[in-house]
Amino acid sequence: MRPLTFIVGTGRSGSSALSRIVNAHPDLLSLNELYASLGPGALPPGPVSAARFQRLLTDPNPVFDTLIRSGVPLPEFLYVREPGRYAAATTGIPALSLMVLPHLTDDPDGLLDALVAEVAGWPCRPVAEHYAALFDLLCARCGGTAVVERSGYSLEWVPRLNDAFPTARFVHLFRGGPDCALSMSRHPGYRTIALLRQLMNRCQVTDLGQLTADQVRELPPDLAPLLTREFDGQALVMDRPMSVAGFGALWSELIGEGVALLDRLPEQRRTTLAYEDLLDAPERELARLAEFAGVPAHPDWLAAGRAHLDGSRRGRSLELPPADLAELRESCAPGTRALGLA
């Protein structure tokens, strides 16, 4: 199997820029938000037929289509910038088309057609073998000898990814808590995540699929629309007052749980990458990433990588009122300690 590396993290840590840098490397296939796109059912157990694997790739992600219909598409959604023959309001956008394929080609519809035609003839086998064949196919079409997958909000995926791909390597990309949490607080996806977590906590479930009809009927009007096909995203999600310290607590929770999961992996199969270090020393950190992923660090690639990094958003949390900043730092303290930075 080709060398496979997963870049995992909380998201809002410069990870989209890092995917663009990875994509520019001639020896790397950059899979941008693959498992975020496919959702929690992306790694089913047991043998998987070709038809079922094709559905994993092409069935629309219902949460993402709902956000698009509701007027709060995520900035990471590439397909909607130059839409093709699919639309959230009508056909639904195939999961693989929303963020993965437009990252690789200017013709995501054509590439999807080609992939579907190939997948149709594959045997029934474990899903990891399907993915390995998919990676080979994409490398043949798009270039690359090694594979790097990067999804935001992906730390909880570490055990499942490790089980499916027991030789894969993991890079934990993280950003300082206050800046990361502030970025989350302004992002429609993380604001929706925070509301859905509030909804699940209220109903004492850990997954939306566990909600009963009675629980759904009893939800308050400011949360119930989140479970519908379309809602007023601006009013329900973006205009709602939400404490930035609450996002600091979310960041701390994700970091604490993620560090514990990564610590279970063998040391030689994991490393860390701080966003701030990437800004300060991009050539050094990118060279380290390339070596870890199993490819050479070409000098021209290292030089070009700096152009994809925007340091202007560093320290934005310092612009908060002093009381808000103090509360945010306090909520981020557990995550900072988990990273060994305090």
Side-chain angles (χ1 to χ4, degrees), residues 30-65:
S30 175
L31 297 176
N32 177 57
E33 305 274 14
L34 174 62
Y35 291 107
S37 298
L38 303 186
L43 294 169
V48 174
S49 69
R52 186 180 181 190
F53 185 66
Q54 179 180 319
R55 290 195 299 273
L56 288 179
L57 303 181
T58 59
D59 282 356
N61 184 309
V63 174
F64 291 162
D65 269 4

Side-chain angles (χ1 to χ4, degrees), residues 6 35 38-46 48 52-53 56 127-128 131 157-165:
F6 293 104
Y35 291 107
L38 303 186
L43 294 169
V48 174
R52 186 180 181 190
F53 185 66
L56 288 179
V127 74
Y131 282 117
W157 279 82
V158 169
R160 284 173 285 174
L161 294 172
N162 183 56
D163 288 344
F165 307 101

Side-chain angles (χ1 to χ4, degrees), residues 247-327:
F247 289 94
L250 172 61
W251 177 84
S252 283
E253 180 181 337
L254 297 175
I255 288 290
E257 293 175 353
V259 167
L261 294 173
L262 287 162
D263 282 348
R264 299 174 190 171
L265 302 177
E267 288 190 16
Q268 68 271 20
R269 290 179 49 220
R270 56 182 165 89
T271 191
T272 59
L273 177 58
Y275 175 63
E276 290 78 11
D277 290 345
L278 192 58
L279 293 178
D280 290 338
E283 288 86 357
R284 181 194 71 198
E285 294 302 295
L286 290 175
R288 191 167 63 85
L289 174 63
E291 180 182 7
F292 188 75
V295 297
H298 302 297
D300 55 344
W301 174 72
L302 293 175
R306 182 184 291 272
H308 290 280
L309 298 169
D310 178 12
S312 66
R313 289 177 288 182
R314 174 193 266 180
R316 287 285 178 86
S317 59
L318 299 176
E319 300 171 6
L320 291 170
D324 292 344
L325 178 58
E327 186 180 9

Side-chain angles (χ1 to χ4, degrees), residues 76-157:
E76 293 84 357
F77 292 170
L78 301 178
Y79 190 85
V80 297
R81 298 180 188 178
E82 296 183 18
R85 66 174 180 260
Y86 302 104
T90 53
T91 60
I93 299 173
L96 204 64
S97 299
L98 193 56
M99 296 182 281
V100 182
L101 298 186
H103 180 70
L104 297 172
T105 176
D106 293 332
D107 182 19
D109 289 350
L111 181 53
L112 182 67
D113 291 343
L115 295 177
V116 167
E118 291 282 349
V119 169
W122 287 357
C124 185
R125 55 189 170 181
V127 74
E129 295 181 20
H130 279 298
Y131 282 117
L134 177 67
F135 300 162
D136 285 344
L137 185 57
L138 286 170
C139 282
R141 288 182 169 272
C142 304
T145 59
V147 179
V148 174
E149 194 278 342
R150 192 282 310 169
S151 289
Y153 198 70
S154 53
L155 285 168
E156 68 175 4
W157 279 82

